[in-house]
Amino acid sequence: MKRKFNKTGMLTLIMVSVVSCAQITSVNSYGAKAAKEDSTLEVKEMLLYAIQDEYLANKEYGMIMDEYGQQRPFSNIKKAEERHISMLKTVLSNNKIEIPKDESSGIVKLPESLNEAYKAGVEAEIENIAMYERFLQQELPKDVRQVFESLKNASENHLRAFRRFSEN
């Protein structure tokens, strides 16, 4: 019996190690950060990176409001992120691409203060804009291009809002 327990214990340890490595990989291969590292962008991957990045923003802004209260600009921008996710889901469906699950909760970290949250918002929107600018340099179907242009413009507005609040 003791021998069986040791094998089971070892198997559990191996599985925990594999899961931990998978989580680290997923952190580095999610959203705008992953898109930046991808040298062979296809429409499907661009759409997946885009929705992942919108999931990240939506989750982070929700966590910030849970911690620091329902306040602007997070309350307005979170509503916008939900619309962005909806737009991307429509384009994914129209292009017969499976809508990925939101795995952002295992990645997002709560900023230590409201001021740090504003700074995090600035950084996230800068990365998001850069991602969409890169995507828009590619050959894209009309519906995908329209959504990416709309999301880039929205991120530029979000960036201005975060900068205003971070300067106060």
Side-chain angles (χ1 to χ4, degrees), residues 1-35:
M1 217 31 139
K2 189 173 184 177
R3 186 173 175 94
K4 185 175 182 182
F5 175 77
N6 287 338
K7 285 182 182 179
T8 304
M10 184 58 83
L11 182 59
T12 301
L13 180 62
I14 291 168
M15 289 177 69
V16 168
S17 297
V18 168
V19 169
S20 295
C21 289
Q23 289 174 340
I24 291 168
T25 301
S26 69
V27 170
N28 294 326
S29 60
Y30 201 85
K33 289 182 179 172

Side-chain angles (χ1 to χ4, degrees), residues 28-161:
N28 294 326
S29 60
Y30 201 85
K33 289 182 179 172
K36 191 181 341 182
E37 302 300 319
D38 191 339
S39 61
T40 59
L41 291 172
E42 304 264 340
V43 171
K44 177 181 178 180
E45 284 78 23
M46 287 185 265
L47 287 166
L48 294 176
Y49 290 138
I51 198 166
Q52 289 171 348
D53 211 59
E54 301 298 337
Y55 284 155
L56 285 169
N58 189 48
K59 179 63 73 180
E60 182 174 20
Y61 302 155
M63 287 172 57
I64 289 167
M65 289 190 304
D66 288 346
E67 181 70 18
Y68 302 111
Q70 300 282 327
Q71 55 189 315
R72 296 181 65 203
F74 299 105
S75 56
N76 294 345
I77 294 175
K78 183 171 184 334
K79 289 176 190 168
E81 299 301 347
E82 291 166 1
R83 286 190 303 274
H84 301 169
I85 291 166
S86 179
M87 290 169 61
L88 285 163
K89 284 181 175 181
T90 299
V91 173
L92 284 161
S93 292
N94 290 346
N95 286 277
K96 301 190 181 358
I97 301 169
E98 185 177 341
I99 297 169
K101 292 192 316 187
D102 181 352
E103 298 176 350
S104 62
S105 59
I107 299 169
V108 174
K109 304 226 181 321
L110 180 67
E112 293 183 19
S113 69
L114 194 52
N115 193 43
E116 289 299 315
Y118 296 137
K119 290 177 185 177
V122 167
E123 290 173 24
E125 297 299 343
I126 288 171
E127 283 189 1
N128 190 267
I129 291 165
M131 176 183 73
Y132 287 124
E133 286 175 343
R134 183 168 173 231
F135 291 172
L136 288 165
Q137 293 174 3
Q138 310 298 315
E139 196 69 33
L140 299 168
K142 185 178 179 181
D143 63 336
V144 174
R145 179 169 298 283
Q146 288 174 333
V147 168
F148 286 167
E149 286 173 349
S150 176
L151 297 177
K152 179 182 156 288
N153 292 337
S155 289
E156 290 168 345
N157 291 334
H158 300 170
L159 177 59
R160 282 191 288 279

